[in-house]
Amino acid sequence: MYPPVVLAAKLMFKVLDNRLRVDGTEHIPRTGGAVIACNHVSYLDFIFCGLGAQPAKRLVRFMAKREIFANRIAGPLMRGMRHISVDRSAGKASYDEAVERLRGGEVVGVFPEATISRSFTVKPVKSGAVRMAADAGVPVVPMAVWGTQRLWTKGRPRTLTKRHVPILIRAGEPFRPGAGDDPEERSADLRRRMQALLDGLQAEYPERPASADDRWWLPAHLGGTAPTPEEAAALDS
């Protein structure tokens, strides 16, 4: 089911004239297992993160909360594309499945912040991405997306038919966590890499807010009205 879904998504983006720009794909292994760890600013990020691996001809199997798999529309699609269901109260089974997929040569996609970042900066990341990469003996490829929050993000109405929105996707240089590495230190390194990629995309983004009311999609440190990381953490709690 995966290839037809990819074609449908590309057709939708073409109709809406979403200006997609993908770079850094030379960092995604053409064969063998790998973990793609992406930032999270939109409910649509898994689509664009997956598209980021298309130039490398890889299909990304995403880890997603089981509630999505229970949805009568999204559920059959998620299962058909062989994504991995995650029960947050008992995650060992999904973790083990992800490691098995990685050892089998698949690419597994993870959003290590766990939830959407309201501040549009990279939140503290969970250690699962680097731990599963170390267990499977595969690299971690950091990735960042930007612009997707303008279509659908937490606390804002959906604007899925908004036209001409630039979407930037960038893969960074991979690194390979070792079995003896401190997973917390490696996760902090992953966060720095993801934030550096995101900083670059934000600096290069070809549009600015059209009005003062439109500044909601920019982070506070760039003059936007998105919550600061501290304010976002308070909202999440």
Side-chain angles (χ1 to χ4, degrees), residues 21-209:
R21 193 189 81 191
V22 183
D23 57 47
T25 56
E26 70 275 9
H27 296 307
I28 299 174
R30 267 45 180 179
T31 59
V35 175
I36 290 182
C38 190
N39 72 310
H40 204 7
V41 293
S42 164
Y43 292 108
L44 304 175
D45 288 335
F46 74 97
I47 297 175
F48 293 96
C49 178
L51 285 175
Q54 281 291 296
K57 296 182 170 55
R58 303 305 302 270
L59 298 177
V60 184
R61 315 298 181 177
F62 285 97
M63 302 186 75
K65 60 184 180 181
R66 65 175 181 175
E67 288 83 357
I68 299 176
F69 288 78
N71 183 279
R72 66 182 182 87
I73 297 175
L77 289 173
M78 297 294 282
R79 289 187 290 273
M81 290 186 284
R82 298 185 62 238
H83 295 313
I84 302 169
S85 175
V86 177
D87 181 352
R88 289 179 176 174
S89 64
K92 186 177 186 305
S94 55
Y95 179 92
D96 290 344
E97 180 180 353
V99 171
E100 183 179 352
R101 299 273 197 99
L102 291 166
R103 287 173 176 162
E106 296 195 45
V107 177
V108 173
V110 179
F111 296 102
E113 297 165 276
T115 58
I116 288 174
S117 171
R118 299 173 188 260
S119 68
F120 305 140
T121 61
V122 179
K123 299 168 58 175
V125 304
K126 308 295 185 182
S127 63
V130 298
R131 287 191 294 108
M132 68 175 62
D135 285 349
V138 302
V140 177
V141 180
M143 183 177 282
V145 296
W146 185 242
T148 58
Q149 79 282 8
R150 298 178 65 187
L151 300 176
W152 189 14
T153 193
K154 186 177 290 187
R156 301 287 305 187
R158 284 176 290 183
T159 55
L160 300 181
T161 58
K162 187 177 179 64
R163 293 174 57 83
H164 314 305
V165 174
I167 306 292
L168 309 186
I169 307 163
R170 176 169 293 161
E173 186 175 349
F175 66 98
R176 190 179 290 265
D181 292 350
D182 183 328
E184 298 302 328
E185 289 182 3
R186 294 301 261 167
S187 296
D189 179 36
L190 171 60
R191 182 190 183 190
R192 287 190 290 270
R193 291 168 182 257
M194 291 167 60
Q195 185 63 60
L197 292 171
L198 181 59
D199 287 342
L201 295 184
Q202 290 171 339
E204 298 165 17
Y205 197 67
E207 289 189 1
R208 306 299 293 176

Side-chain angles (χ1 to χ4, degrees), residues 4-25:
V5 171
V6 171
L7 287 174
K10 288 181 176 179
L11 177 61
M12 181 184 74
F13 302 144
K14 185 174 182 179
V15 169
L16 295 176
D17 192 27
N18 292 136
R19 289 173 283 164
L20 293 175
R21 193 189 81 191
V22 183
D23 57 47
T25 56

